[in-house]
């Protein structure tokens, strides 16, 4: 937030992942997807002056000794809460407006990409993948399919070539990517269907990129705070030069920087920077 105000998690325990409808997801229940129950701290975002930092290992307080701080009802505190609430409403309104306009304007490009994908490789046009969003909720993120149809089955053979030092898998010259997929990735065209996720509220235009449930299962406790906001199409990491050379911990710190320093001006700046990245074709 402006002036050092941020969105943080209060102290919390383990929350089962839920899908967008509020039901326990198959990741949490151990279904055929193979993802175990994930420890994701979940709570409504709160102002940083109320909770200084997420404490994953808070000391146990003996019964009867817990002291409740009085709730501040000063005009300044009420105005601060209202300011945050209105700015979040404006952020959501911006998401809906821009996603609707973009989907209408980009409809011819969507049709062209669909024809090229179908003409050059077998399989569906879109690729839906389960990702973890705000408060640990699992949703299905959409992309144009840029890989061969059996890409997930081939991934274990490529793990030794992972270019990321964290739980994510990143490989610039991934052999599973089709030639039209490489072009789409260069200009970030494969990400455009996520405008549909933005329109329905699973994602925002700006926010931390949503990870896979299997990746979140390997997170350290402090890294869960990135789920305090909706995941986004773009973020500080997305517009960073040579982003695949950034360590995973630094990537998470960039996400937490966004959460702590979020304003609508920051969102607009990141959107304009993302347009520049797309037009220059510097996607990797």
């Amino acid at each position: 937030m402006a002036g050092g105000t941020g969105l943080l998690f209060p102290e919390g325990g383990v929350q089962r992942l839920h899908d967008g409808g509020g039901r326990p997801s198959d990741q949490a229940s151990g279904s055929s997807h193979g993802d175990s129950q994930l420890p994701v701290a979940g709570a409504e975002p709160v102002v940083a002056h109320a909770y200084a930092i997420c404490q994953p290992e808070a000391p146990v307080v003996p019964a009867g000794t817990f002291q409740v701080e009085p709730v501040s009802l000063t005009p300044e505190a009420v105005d601060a809460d209202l300011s945050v609430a209105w700015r979040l409403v404006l952020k959501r309104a911006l998401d809906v407006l821009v996603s609707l306009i973009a989907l209408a304007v980009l409809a011819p490009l969507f049709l062209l990409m669909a024809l090229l994908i179908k003409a050059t490789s077998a399989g569906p046009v879109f690729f839906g993948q389960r990702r973890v969003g705000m408060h640990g909720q699992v949703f299905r993120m959409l992309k144009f399919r840029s890989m061969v149809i059996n890409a997930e089955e081939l991934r274990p053979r490529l793990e030794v070539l992972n270019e990321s030092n964290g739980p994510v898998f990143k490989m610039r010259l991934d052999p599973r990517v089709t030639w039209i997929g490489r072009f789409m990735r260069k200009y970030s065209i494969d990400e455009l269907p996520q405008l549909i996720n933005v329109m329905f509220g699973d994602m925002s235009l700006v926010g931390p990129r949503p990870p896979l449930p299997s990746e979140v299962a390997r997170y350290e406790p402090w890294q869960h705070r990135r789920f305090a906001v909706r995941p986004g199409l773009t973020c500080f990491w997305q517009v960073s030069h040579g982003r695949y050379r950034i360590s995973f911990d630094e990537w998470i710190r960039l996400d937490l920087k966004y959460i702590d320093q979020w304003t609508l001006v920051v969102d607009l700046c990141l959107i304009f920077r993302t347009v520049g990245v797309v037009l220059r074709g510097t996607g990797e």
Side-chain angles (χ1 to χ4, degrees), residues 44-247:
E44 290 296 325
V46 295
V47 184
H49 64 256
Y51 294 94
I53 192 168
C54 178
Q55 298 288 347
E57 297 180 357
V60 177
V61 180
T65 64
F66 185 75
Q67 296 180 355
V68 180
E69 294 293 331
V71 178
S72 176
L73 295 178
T74 63
E76 293 79 7
V78 173
D79 288 345
D81 289 342
L82 289 176
S83 175
V84 172
W86 275 110
R87 280 184 287 169
L88 289 173
V89 169
L90 289 175
K91 178 179 174 68
R92 178 61 187 147
L94 180 67
D95 286 344
V96 174
L97 179 63
V98 173
S99 61
L100 285 174
I101 294 175
L103 286 170
V105 172
L106 296 173
L109 178 61
F110 272 55
L111 178 59
L112 176 61
M113 288 297 104
L115 293 174
L116 288 174
I117 292 170
K118 293 297 291 184
T120 56
S121 63
V125 170
F126 296 106
F127 174 67
Q129 192 174 48
R130 297 178 70 81
R131 297 293 183 105
V132 181
M134 187 169 68
H135 302 161
Q137 291 186 343
V138 174
F139 68 98
R140 188 166 295 278
M141 188 185 78
L142 297 176
K143 300 179 73 171
F144 280 125
R145 183 175 58 82
S146 61
M147 293 185 174
V148 295
I149 193 168
N150 62 334
E152 292 299 307
E153 300 172 11
L154 298 175
R155 174 173 165 171
R157 306 178 191 176
L158 301 173
E159 290 286 352
V160 294
L161 301 176
N162 187 12
E163 296 176 18
S164 173
N165 65 344
V168 297
F169 178 81
K170 295 293 181 183
M171 187 177 177
R172 281 177 294 176
L173 300 178
D174 195 323
R176 301 172 298 169
V177 180
T178 64
W179 73 265
I180 188 62
R182 203 167 300 282
F183 171 79
M184 288 191 296
R185 288 186 170 201
K186 180 178 176 64
Y187 293 97
S188 301
I189 296 173
D190 60 317
E191 309 285 358
L192 290 179
Q194 289 160 44
L195 289 166
I196 299 173
N197 291 118
V198 173
M199 183 177 64
F200 285 107
D202 296 322
M203 296 177 62
S204 177
L205 292 173
V206 184
R209 291 296 294 161
L212 293 166
S214 57
E215 295 169 352
V216 179
R218 297 164 58 190
Y219 274 20
E220 297 178 16
W222 69 272
Q223 295 168 341
H224 293 154
R225 191 160 66 88
R226 74 193 305 239
F227 303 118
V229 297
R230 282 190 179 94
L233 281 169
T234 189
C235 56
F236 282 122
W237 176 83
Q238 197 81 2
V239 299
S240 297
H241 179 68
R243 60 179 182 255
Y244 284 122
R245 293 190 293 273
I246 296 176
S247 70

Side-chain angles (χ1 to χ4, degrees), residues 260-275:
D260 292 337
Q261 299 182 3
W262 171 78
T263 66
L264 290 174
V265 174
V266 170
D267 276 8
L268 292 175
C269 288
L270 284 172
I271 290 172
F272 283 120
R273 287 178 62 184
T274 302
V275 172

